[in-house]
Amino acid sequence: MFWFFRFANPVVRMGENFGYKYTFRRFWLDISTKSGNWKMRVMADEHPYAYLLAGVQRGNENNVFGFAEMLYMQVFTLTRDQGLVNDVQKAIKKYQARLVKSNPASPDEEQEAIEEVKSVQEYADATPKERRKMERGVDGRFKAAVKKAEKLAE
């Protein structure tokens, strides 16, 4: 049986030009090409939604069409130019490395967290006999995992 949830998401404004059409709804903005080969949705809680809606309300639809054209060109250029894709991936990796350098987590904290997750998972996957051994402390590294698993079970 399927349950469908309906909510009021009325159309606020619609428009189109030679290549694109847009529909502002209460909770999102749909932009698509007239041919239907590209479509995107901008949620209402994102900055471009408010910027574009304000522009359209002032009578400047070119903001919406320029936004759509810019994204359309980027998407289709990425699908055709492998060199550009490689450059973008390198830039993203450099950016992520810069973020890690600016806010490093200590290796000890990371290792402790990894070991804790592993021990909780091993306790959850263990047989009842192995769990009893772990609980009795035969294997000391599982004491913390037992406590964590008990807290999670509650």
Side-chain angles (χ1 to χ4, degrees), residues 7 55 65 113-114 121 136 140:
F7 60 93
F65 299 129
I114 291 170
Q121 185 61 38
R136 277 186 265 151

Side-chain angles (χ1 to χ4, degrees), residues 17-30:
N17 72 351
F18 62 94
Y20 301 98
K21 55 185 176 180
Y22 68 87
T23 306
F24 276 98
R25 293 185 174 273
R26 185 178 194 182
F27 298 112
W28 60 75
L29 159 65
D30 285 322

Side-chain angles (χ1 to χ4, degrees), residues 49-65:
Y49 179 90
Y51 169 73
L52 296 171
L53 180 60
V56 168
Q57 287 175 341
R58 291 185 186 121
N60 189 2
E61 289 184 332
N62 291 334
N63 288 347
V64 176
F65 299 129

